[in-house]
Amino acid sequence: MSILIYIASFAVLLAGVVILSRYLPAQNVAFIILILAGAEAGVELWQESDAWVQAAFFWPGAIILLRAGCQQIMKQWRHARNYGLVILGMTSVGAAAVQMCGGSLEACVLRFVTTAVCLFFLTPWLIPKRVRVSEEAKK
């Protein structure tokens, strides 16, 4: 594999870390990245792929970026009852769609399931922990 692929994968991971670090503590960001990287590397090893290192860099960042995009799309429905499940589903479908660009249907289904299970497990760590002061409270 070319070094450029690893640089691009690392750039995607770095972008995901920056997105998460805007509203989560560093220990949450590190835990989320490690769990996603481990799960994605495991999926690649299970499929007997040689690109498990690249997957460990690319997929955690891609999933985080997909989730942030879904949150922006669903911003006006944030207080809806099923908001979290919709974000989880949209992110999983997005990850499967990205996988479809370079993989088989089996790989897409596996990517969908892996993303959904990881995000479901990581939900408590994805909830913002920093105190935010509203503009009205500042006045």
Side-chain angles (χ1 to χ4, degrees), residues 70-71 73-88 90:
C70 293
Q71 286 176 323
I73 292 169
M74 296 296 294
K75 186 183 276 188
Q76 64 184 357
W77 295 288
R78 181 156 173 77
H79 298 291
R81 184 174 179 173
N82 296 326
Y83 172 79
L85 293 174
V86 171
I87 295 295
L88 189 144
M90 287 176 64

Coordinates of all heavy atoms in Angstrom, one line a residue, residues 70-71 73-88 90:
C70 N -24.8 13.5 10.2 CA -26.2 13.1 10.5 C -26.8 14.0 11.6 O -28.0 14.4 11.6 CB -26.3 11.7 11.0 SG -25.9 10.5 9.7
Q71 N -26.0 14.4 12.6 CA -26.5 15.3 13.6 C -26.8 16.7 13.0 O -27.8 17.3 13.4 CB -25.4 15.5 14.7 CG -25.3 14.3 15.6 CD -24.2 14.5 16.6 OE1 -23.1 15.0 16.4 NE2 -24.4 14.0 17.8
I73 N -27.8 17.2 9.9 CA -29.0 17.0 9.1 C -30.3 17.0 10.0 O -31.3 17.6 9.7 CB -28.9 15.7 8.3 CG1 -27.9 15.9 7.2 CG2 -30.3 15.4 7.7 CD1 -27.5 14.6 6.5
M74 N -30.1 16.3 11.2 CA -31.3 16.1 12.1 C -31.4 17.2 13.2 O -32.1 17.0 14.1 CB -31.1 14.7 12.8 CG -31.2 13.6 11.8 SD -32.8 13.5 11.0 CE -33.9 13.1 12.4
K75 N -30.6 18.3 13.1 CA -30.6 19.3 14.1 C -32.0 19.8 14.5 O -32.3 20.0 15.7 CB -29.7 20.5 13.7 CG -29.5 21.5 14.8 CD -28.7 22.7 14.3 CE -27.2 22.3 14.3 NZ -26.4 23.5 14.0
Q76 N -32.8 20.0 13.6 CA -34.2 20.6 13.9 C -35.1 19.6 14.6 O -36.1 20.0 15.2 CB -34.8 21.2 12.7 CG -35.2 20.2 11.6 CD -35.7 20.8 10.4 OE1 -35.9 22.0 10.3 NE2 -36.0 20.0 9.3
W77 N -34.7 18.3 14.5 CA -35.5 17.3 15.2 C -34.8 16.8 16.4 O -35.1 15.7 16.9 CB -35.8 16.1 14.2 CG -36.7 16.5 13.1 CD1 -38.0 16.9 13.1 CD2 -36.3 16.7 11.8 NE1 -38.5 17.2 11.9 CE2 -37.4 17.1 11.0 CE3 -35.0 16.6 11.1 CZ2 -37.3 17.4 9.7 CZ3 -35.0 16.9 9.8 CH2 -36.1 17.3 9.1
R78 N -33.9 17.5 17.0 CA -33.1 17.1 18.1 C -33.9 16.7 19.3 O -33.5 15.8 20.1 CB -32.2 18.2 18.5 CG -31.3 17.8 19.7 CD -30.0 18.6 19.7 NE -29.2 18.4 20.9 CZ -28.5 17.3 21.1 NH1 -28.4 16.4 20.2 NH2 -27.8 17.2 22.2
H79 N -35.1 17.3 19.5 CA -35.9 16.9 20.7 C -36.9 15.8 20.4 O -37.8 15.6 21.3 CB -36.6 18.2 21.2 CG -35.6 19.2 21.7 ND1 -34.8 19.0 22.8 CD2 -35.2 20.4 21.2 CE1 -34.0 20.1 23.0 NE2 -34.2 20.9 22.0
A80 N -36.8 15.2 19.2 CA -37.8 14.2 18.9 C -37.4 12.9 19.8 O -36.3 12.7 20.2 CB -37.6 13.8 17.4
R81 N -38.4 12.1 20.0 CA -38.3 11.0 20.9 C -37.3 10.0 20.4 O -36.5 9.4 21.1 CB -39.6 10.3 21.0 CG -39.6 9.2 22.0 CD -41.0 8.7 22.2 NE -41.0 7.5 23.1 CZ -42.0 7.0 23.6 NH1 -43.2 7.4 23.2 NH2 -41.9 6.0 24.4
N82 N -37.2 9.7 19.1 CA -36.3 8.7 18.5 C -35.0 9.3 17.9 O -34.4 8.7 17.0 CB -37.0 7.9 17.5 CG -38.2 7.1 18.1 OD1 -38.1 6.7 19.3 ND2 -39.2 6.9 17.4
Y83 N -34.6 10.5 18.3 CA -33.5 11.2 17.7 C -32.2 10.3 17.7 O -31.6 10.2 16.7 CB -33.3 12.5 18.4 CG -32.0 13.2 18.0 CD1 -32.0 14.0 16.8 CD2 -30.9 13.2 18.8 CE1 -30.8 14.6 16.4 CE2 -29.7 13.8 18.4 CZ -29.7 14.6 17.2 OH -28.6 15.2 16.9
G84 N -31.9 9.7 18.8 CA -30.7 8.9 18.9 C -30.7 7.7 18.1 O -29.7 7.4 17.4
L85 N -31.8 7.0 18.0 CA -31.9 5.9 17.1 C -31.8 6.2 15.6 O -31.2 5.5 14.8 CB -33.2 5.1 17.4 CG -33.3 4.4 18.8 CD1 -34.7 3.9 19.0 CD2 -32.2 3.4 18.9
V86 N -32.4 7.4 15.3 CA -32.3 7.8 13.9 C -30.9 8.2 13.5 O -30.4 7.8 12.5 CB -33.2 9.0 13.7 CG1 -33.0 9.7 12.3 CG2 -34.7 8.6 13.8
I87 N -30.2 8.8 14.4 CA -28.7 9.2 14.2 C -27.9 7.9 14.1 O -27.1 7.7 13.2 CB -28.2 10.0 15.3 CG1 -28.9 11.4 15.4 CG2 -26.7 10.2 15.3 CD1 -28.6 12.2 14.2
L88 N -28.2 6.9 14.9 CA -27.5 5.6 14.9 C -27.8 4.9 13.6 O -26.8 4.4 12.9 CB -27.9 4.7 16.1 CG -27.2 3.5 16.3 CD1 -27.1 3.2 17.8 CD2 -27.8 2.3 15.6
M90 N -28.9 6.3 10.6 CA -28.3 7.0 9.5 C -26.8 6.9 9.4 O -26.3 6.8 8.3 CB -28.7 8.5 9.6 CG -30.2 8.8 9.4 SD -30.6 10.6 9.7 CE -29.6 11.4 8.4

